[in-house]
Amino acid sequence: MTALTEMSLREVAAKIKSGEVSPVEVTQACLDRATATEPTLNAFSNIMTESAVAEAKAAEAEIKSGTYRGELHGVPVGIKELYDVAGAATTSSSAVRENWRAETDSASVAQLRAAGAVILGKTHTHEFAYGISTPTTRNPWNTDCIPGGSSGGSGSSVAAGSTFMSMGSDTGGSIRIPAAVCGTVGLKPTFGRCSRAGVTSLSWSLDHVGPLTRTVADAAVCLNALAGYDPRDPGSVDVPTEDYTAALGKDVNGLRIGVPSNYYFDNCDPEVEAAVRAAIDLMCAEGAIISEVDIPYPDQIMSIEFALCLAEASEYHRLMLRDNPDLYTEDVRVFLEAGEMMPATRYVQALRARNLMQQAWARVYDDIDLIVAPAVPAPAAKVGQEVFDWGNGIEEPITPVYVRLSAPANVTGLPAIATPCGFTASGLPVAFQAIARPFGEATAIQACDAYQNITDWHTLHPEL
Amino acid sequence: MIDSVSKEVKSGDIPVLAKAARLDLAPDRLDIVAPALDSVLHLFDALDAVDLGETPPTNSFDPRWRDRS
């Protein structure tokens, strides 16, 4: 029998609904799993044992009384340390915010509670989400490797089996990067689809929130709970939501998939490229219509991403940087300082170029429904690794390596799902991402779920 | 003194830029910040290759009071 903690969210939800297992049993199994793996992984900043058990007991009583709220009811989830959880610290995994406590729940946490989820604990982020390595935490597939970031604790906890879903945030790939290198699914919704109210900002114009899960179907369940307009978030967009689970169980026959002829496969690990192209070939064999697409403005993608992020992050941190500069970790501090010295005109120039890029990407989608490409160009880096050597005379620092394939969906705001599609010879996960039209989450879910229904990469678990 | 010929940002450039930003930087920060700033400013140079014409920025101001009915 599959251990409870190795099940998908939907599998365990079915057992909770039928009464085969109780939310208390499931929550205790997750707590036990976390207890066993935390000495190695350190995925959590705060395991909320007492409140989680109380919430599980309440869910159990409610379900027994005949009120079943849906598939998240009684299911333990993790919350990235950036999110406010009432009564708990929101440290952003930083000494700067060591004593910062939340009085109310963030929008996402409130939505998850309303759906009946059990908040198991908070997961580590790279400090203030400003990085891709999450130094506090390790990758369950190889503890000598990073879990990616910035939602590294979320990727690590889901892959390890301590939670069935953990929330992430994605400014330059911070949901999709840890999902890809930890072998989980990572869903970055369309900009404005899910409220960011109560989530510590990195860059207001690029931040997205979304779930990391074991399956695409699980992500669809979570998106049902999280999607919706929220006037408290100035980036929120008032577009009707839909039942994203309606996209599950379909096939890819007739879906028009664009495969980039430039940018996404440049300086890409051969094992990653082979796995992603094999996934595309499989979708083609299942009836998807494949065509090549040219990615517009490839030389400006990272310029726009970093010009917006640097300026906005430095402004968010302006007072904290002056009050407590020594409390920041060095890699975050230096870019907060540098961001204060970039010309304002560069920021506005990036906003103007972003406008052109949005228009150009819209034209790319005239003839396709989705782009499928590598989620990240390399598997998990070793802890302490500073560069990737591409073997062509180019050594690239790890931050741009992980960000450059994620950034297009942040700059354009398009929805994207990282989906596991294989392993390297050394046993590290590999993933593709499917990028859909604005508010086209259902199309991406359909394609990625169809892929998971004919493959088994997502059913494999790390040995810990 | 700012080197107005070379595009490279050097540690000697940082005090003036920090002063403009009203940011007090200890002397030991100059050699750390300079290469970081230099690298991002070079990254931004790619924006100059785009003819922006009359393209406005993507941000826009919405005068509606969204948090009130």
Side-chain angles (χ1 to χ4, degrees):
Chain A
M1 179 184 165
T2 307
L4 275 180
T5 55
E6 290 189 353
M7 292 179 182
S8 71
L9 187 158
R10 294 200 95 192
E11 287 171 335
V12 82
K15 291 188 179 299
I16 289 173
K17 185 181 181 184
S18 70
E20 189 177 336
V21 297
S22 77
V24 175
E25 287 176 82
V26 176
T27 299
Q28 192 56 56
C30 287
L31 289 169
D32 291 346
R33 181 66 175 158
T35 300
T37 57
E38 277 298 278
T40 309
L41 300 178
N42 197 32
F44 291 89
S45 52
N46 178 9
I47 297 179
M48 303 161 75
T49 304
E50 193 174 330
S51 60
V53 171
E55 290 168 21
K57 286 179 177 174
E60 185 173 321
E62 192 175 12
I63 293 168
K64 276 185 176 171
S65 74
T67 302
Y68 180 65
R69 302 193 197 188
E71 291 180 281
L72 281 164
H73 204 169
V75 174
V77 301
I79 305 296
K80 187 177 182 179
E81 187 55 45
L82 294 182
Y83 288 66
D84 283 351
V85 174
T90 307
T91 68
S92 300
S93 295
S94 175
V96 176
R97 284 263 172 96
E98 187 180 5
N99 299 314
W100 185 277
R101 300 194 84 77
E103 294 182 356
T104 57
D105 284 334
S106 54
S108 299
V109 170
Q111 289 164 313
L112 292 167
R113 286 195 197 282
V118 172
I119 310 301
L120 194 84
K122 301 192 75 179
T123 55
H124 268 305
T125 173
H126 196 114
E127 184 180 32
F128 284 109
Y130 210 176
I132 49 76
S133 61
T134 320
T136 48
T137 304
R138 293 293 180 267
N139 191 312
W141 291 95
N142 182 335
T143 55
D144 291 332
C145 291
I146 65 169
S150 62
S151 313
S154 294
S156 184
S157 63
V158 172
S162 300
T163 65
F164 292 91
M165 181 278 282
S166 290
M167 291 298 295
S169 63
D170 192 319
T171 305
S174 287
I175 290 172
R176 290 161 289 154
I177 294 164
V181 303
C182 289
T184 79
V185 168
L187 166 59
K188 184 200 79 66
T190 308
F191 186 81
R193 175 73 293 174
C194 298
S195 175
R196 305 168 300 178
V199 180
T200 300
S201 177
L202 175 58
S203 168
W204 295 282
S205 68
L206 296 167
D207 292 340
H208 303 64
V209 297
L212 288 86
T213 56
R214 297 185 200 156
T215 70
V216 175
D218 292 351
V221 169
C222 296
L223 188 58
N224 274 359
L226 298 165
Y229 175 65
D230 184 353
R232 295 171 299 172
D233 176 358
S236 187
V237 182
D238 194 1
V239 170
T241 61
E242 55 190 295
D243 176 6
Y244 296 99
T245 61
L248 303 175
K250 298 181 177 177
D251 57 35
V252 295
N253 188 34
L255 275 183
R256 301 171 300 167
I257 293 177
V259 179
S261 58
N262 64 331
Y263 193 71
Y264 279 93
F265 291 98
D266 298 344
N267 287 330
C268 183
D269 182 288
E271 288 185 287
V272 173
E273 177 166 359
V276 172
R277 291 200 185 280
I280 293 166
D281 289 346
L282 186 55
M283 291 186 220
C284 182
E286 294 291 314
I289 301 161
I290 309 295
S291 61
E292 283 201 339
V293 294
D294 292 330
I295 300 302
Y297 298 107
D299 296 334
Q300 281 74 40
I301 292 168
M302 291 288 272
S303 307
I304 298 171
E305 168 76 26
F306 277 86
L308 300 184
C309 187
L310 248 77
E312 293 180 15
S314 289
E315 168 50 24
Y316 181 84
H317 287 269
R318 186 166 49 83
L319 295 179
M320 290 185 286
L321 182 65
R322 283 158 177 73
D323 289 345
N324 292 300
D326 295 332
L327 294 184
Y328 287 93
T329 54
E330 181 55 41
D331 66 318
V332 171
R333 178 181 176 179
V334 68
F335 282 102
L336 292 177
E337 291 168 338
E340 294 232 15
M341 299 176 209
M342 63 175 276
T345 48
R346 279 301 199 204
Y347 178 77
V348 179
Q349 187 183 20
L351 286 171
R352 299 177 72 200
R354 186 187 201 185
N355 198 343
L356 285 185
M357 184 170 294
Q358 182 186 30
Q359 296 168 30
W361 273 69
R363 290 191 290 274
V364 170
Y365 279 79
D366 281 345
D367 301 314
I368 60 169
D369 301 306
L370 289 167
I371 286 174
V372 174
V376 290
K382 287 278 175 63
V383 173
Q385 182 178 335
E386 294 183 351
V387 298
F388 280 96
D389 182 350
W390 294 116
N392 54 4
I394 296 176
E395 282 193 344
E396 187 178 9
I398 67 167
T399 297
V401 167
Y402 285 124
V403 172
R404 64 179 152 85
L405 303 192
S406 300
N410 295 91
V411 171
T412 61
L414 297 177
I417 303 177
T419 305
C421 66
F423 289 84
T424 64
S426 58
L428 293 172
V430 175
F432 68 80
Q433 62 178 322
I435 308 170
R437 294 160 177 258
F439 301 98
E441 283 84 353
T443 307
I445 287 169
Q446 177 186 337
C448 296
D449 174 65
Y451 175 80
Q452 290 201 321
N453 288 336
I454 54 174
T455 57
D456 63 359
W457 304 115
H458 58 289
T459 67
L460 304 177
H461 304 280
E463 292 180 10
L464 278 168
Chain B
M1 181 176 180
I2 289 180
D3 180 347
S4 58
V5 178
S6 168
K7 279 190 171 181
E8 183 183 357
V9 175
K10 296 177 180 171
S11 56
D13 303 326
I14 297 298
V16 174
L17 296 168
K19 185 176 181 180
R22 307 294 191 251
L23 177 66
D24 290 332
L25 281 184
D28 66 340
R29 298 299 300 163
L30 306 184
D31 288 342
I32 299 169
V33 175
L37 180 61
D38 186 62
S39 69
V40 295
L41 293 180
H42 273 96
L43 180 65
F44 301 157
D45 286 342
L47 295 169
D48 294 334
V50 180
D51 180 2
L52 292 167
E54 297 299 311
T55 307
T58 46
N59 65 338
S60 59
F61 173 68
D62 182 348
R64 288 175 300 171
W65 298 344
R66 302 210 299 173
D67 59 346
R68 294 166 188 256
S69 56

